Amino acid sequence: MTKFSTELANAVKGIKSLGLSPQIVGGVIERNSEQFITLAKQNIQDDTGNLSRSVGFINKNAKYKFSAVRLIGARVYGGYRGYHAYIYEHGTKERKTRAGSSKGKMPASDYMLRAFDAYSSTFIAKTERDIVKIIEQNARKAGMNTTK
C-alpha cells in the first residue's frame, strides 16, 4: 500500500466522524479526478484509440454511488477495449517463440503513474478544499459560526 493510498484509506474511515456521507465525498473525489483521467489519456499513444477511450471510472453502477471510493483505470466492459492496459503501463520483458526466435519486448509507458505523479498533489489540495467547504456549509446550516 502506498503512502497516498494509506492516507486515503484513513480519510475514508474518518468520513462518518465528520458528518459527511460517502456519497458526498465520492462526488467530490469524482469531480476532482476528471483532470487525472484527462492527463492519463493524454499520456497514451495508441493507434486505435481503444485504450485511451477505455480510461475512466471503473464499475460505475448503483452500489458505486453509495461509496466514497472511486476506481480509475482501463475499462473492459460496455464496449470499452482496454484489455492491454497492464501491458502498456508496465511493459514486457524480452519474449521468445517456442522455436527460440525473439518476439521483442515492449517498454513500459507508465501513463497512469505519470498522470498520478503530475496531479496527485493538486488532487489532494482540491479535495481537501472542497471537503472543508462542505463541512463549513453543514456547520452554518446547523447554526455554528465558521468565521476564523
Side-chain angles (χ1 to χ4, degrees), residues 55-90:
V55 173
F57 294 105
I58 298 173
N59 293 332
K60 213 171 174 183
N61 58 31
K63 288 197 292 190
Y64 183 82
K65 64 182 171 185
F66 296 108
S67 169
V69 176
R70 297 297 187 261
L71 300 175
I72 297 172
R75 297 167 288 186
V76 295
Y77 56 85
Y80 294 110
R81 296 185 182 127
Y83 300 103
H84 56 301
Y86 183 87
I87 292 173
Y88 191 82
E89 174 75 10
H90 300 285

Side-chain angles (χ1 to χ4, degrees), residues 63-128:
K63 288 197 292 190
Y64 183 82
K65 64 182 171 185
F66 296 108
S67 169
V69 176
R70 297 297 187 261
L71 300 175
I72 297 172
R75 297 167 288 186
V76 295
Y77 56 85
Y80 294 110
R81 296 185 182 127
Y83 300 103
H84 56 301
Y86 183 87
I87 292 173
Y88 191 82
E89 174 75 10
H90 300 285
T92 65
K93 62 183 181 180
E94 182 70 31
R95 297 169 293 163
K96 296 187 183 284
T97 65
R98 289 183 183 157
S101 61
S102 175
K103 288 183 82 174
K105 69 177 186 175
M106 183 173 176
S109 78
D110 300 327
Y111 69 98
M112 292 294 272
L113 182 61
R114 287 185 285 138
F116 177 81
D117 288 343
Y119 190 64
S120 62
S121 59
T122 303
F123 170 80
I124 291 169
K126 282 182 168 185
T127 302
E128 286 177 351

Side-chain angles (χ1 to χ4, degrees), residues 22-37:
Q23 298 93 324
I24 291 172
V25 175
V28 170
I29 290 171
E30 195 166 317
R31 278 191 308 278
N32 292 332
S33 297
E34 292 293 341
Q35 181 63 33
F36 171 79
I37 292 169

